[in-house]
């Protein structure tokens, strides 16, 4: 791993990538960071041994630039980068809703751009990062992006036309589970359990169910049916979920997230 990588905008996601890359064997001397605040730069220098530089310095020294700024800050950053960006630099964008065409239009012609949608579990090395190649990025650029994101979870390649759907399912997905855990915790309290015990029961149930889904290879319907005995407690609960339209509500919610991702991509 001899290439230099610069993370521009080292917030939570950017820091998670830095720490994951170092755990995967990258040398801190091959990693650069840029931040708005000097105290944040010093914090990252102390914690990881990486060098904090300006955006202009990062463009000149790094072979790969990871843009981890907020979507609303992307235009300003791209205008700054375009002045000095060499043609052979790989640009990886981790900004939600920003299409590769938008980034390409702001940078020198033929700049390879890879779009990545990570989700917050990258903070605990259990993330899912969805990758799409821009019009000038080839298989080698996707492979290099995967090398960067794999230490903090799994990666999946999709055509960019599927990025809005992936954002709705994966990027926003953890929030849906937290919402369900919150509701189930309230139900546990209603049934007489202390909050901490209800929380522990639900979290372990969620972890166990997720591992079974991942490792068993079984369809979720089959796993659910294994818990659902005739005239038992689970089928009573499932009936109420169906009566209240929970399945339809989830589908509608994910469609709404997809639609909002499209709006963000169009600048609305």
């Amino acid at each position: 791993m001899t290439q230099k990588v610069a993370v521009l905008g080292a917030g939570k996601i950017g820091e998670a990538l830095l720490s994951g890359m170092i755990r995967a064997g990258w040398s801190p001397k091959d990693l650069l960071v840029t931040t708005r605040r000097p105290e944040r730069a010093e914090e990252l220098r102390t914690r990881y041994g990486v060098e904090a530089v300006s955006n202009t310095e990062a463009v000149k020294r790094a072979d790969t630039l990871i843009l981890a700024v907020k979507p609303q800050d992307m235009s300003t950053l791209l205008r700054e980068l375009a002045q000095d960006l060499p043609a052979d630099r790989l640009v990886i964008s981790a900004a939600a809703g920003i299409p590769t065409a938008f980034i390409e239009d702001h940078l020198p012609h033929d700049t390879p751009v890879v779009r990545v949608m990570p989700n917050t579990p990258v903070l605990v090395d259990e993330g899912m990062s969805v990758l799409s190649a821009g019009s000038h990025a080839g298989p080698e650029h996707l492979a290099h992006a995967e090398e960067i994101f794999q230490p903090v979870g799994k990666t999946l390649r999709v055509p960019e036309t599927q990025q809005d759907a992936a954002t709705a399912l994966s990027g926003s997905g953890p929030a849906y589970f937290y919402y369900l855990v919150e509701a189930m915790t309230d139900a546990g309290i209603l049934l007489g359990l202390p909050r901490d015990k209800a929380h522990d029961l639900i979290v372990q149930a969620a972890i166990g169910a997720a591992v079974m889904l991942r490792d068993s290879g079984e369809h979720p319907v089959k796993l659910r049916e294994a818990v659902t005995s005739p005239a038992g407690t689970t089928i009573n609960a499932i009936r109420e979920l169906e009566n209240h339209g929970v399945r339809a509500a989830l589908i509608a919610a994910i469609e709404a997230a997809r639609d909002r991702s499209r709006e963000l991509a169009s600048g609305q």
Side-chain angles (χ1 to χ4, degrees), residues 37-267:
R37 297 180 291 111
E39 59 270 24
R40 175 62 171 164
E42 182 58 33
E43 179 184 344
L44 294 171
R45 253 195 311 263
T46 302
R47 187 174 298 166
Y48 301 107
V50 297
E51 185 179 358
V53 298
S54 67
N55 290 333
T56 301
E57 187 74 9
V59 167
K60 294 177 180 178
R61 294 175 54 189
D63 303 287
T64 300
L65 304 173
I66 301 174
L67 313 185
V69 298
K70 295 177 180 178
Q72 59 267 33
D73 296 329
M74 183 62 78
S75 293
T76 301
L77 176 62
L78 292 174
R79 283 194 293 270
E80 184 179 356
L81 300 183
Q83 302 173 20
D84 302 296
L85 187 71
D88 60 346
R89 295 296 190 265
L90 170 61
V91 174
I92 300 173
S93 170
I98 305 293
T100 56
F102 177 88
I103 297 171
E104 291 166 348
D105 287 346
H106 285 74
L107 297 178
H109 184 63
D110 290 343
T111 298
V113 178
V114 172
R115 177 179 173 182
V116 183
M117 182 68 244
N119 59 13
T120 54
V122 298
L123 297 169
V124 292
D125 295 348
E126 291 291 348
M128 172 59 81
S129 299
V130 184
L131 292 79
S132 301
S135 57
H136 308 300
E140 70 278 13
H141 300 116
L142 282 170
H144 185 50
E146 286 174 332
E147 181 184 26
I148 291 171
F149 282 83
Q150 280 172 347
V152 291
K154 291 190 174 185
T155 60
L156 178 70
R157 298 185 188 185
V158 301
E160 191 167 11
T161 54
Q162 296 176 2
Q163 272 283 359
D164 293 319
T167 296
L169 280 173
S170 178
S172 300
Y176 313 147
F177 286 96
Y178 301 146
Y179 183 87
L180 289 172
V181 167
E182 180 185 2
M184 292 171 71
T185 301
D186 287 343
I189 295 168
L190 179 66
L191 297 178
L193 288 168
R195 178 176 293 276
D196 59 341
K197 288 185 171 58
H199 176 82
D200 288 347
L201 288 169
I202 294 161
V203 169
Q204 187 55 40
I207 292 170
V211 171
M212 288 184 71
L213 276 168
R214 184 191 65 192
D215 296 348
S216 70
E218 298 284 1
H219 193 281
V221 169
K222 188 169 182 179
L223 292 173
R224 177 179 61 78
E225 288 177 345
V227 188
T228 311
S229 54
T233 58
T234 305
I235 192 59
N236 262 21
I238 296 296
R239 180 188 63 188
E240 289 302 314
L241 290 172
E242 294 293 350
N243 286 343
H244 286 81
V246 172
R247 184 189 302 266
L250 277 172
I251 293 171
I254 292 169
E255 285 182 326
R258 185 274 317 274
D259 294 345
R260 182 56 183 151
S261 182
R262 288 175 175 173
E263 290 173 358
L264 289 171
S266 64

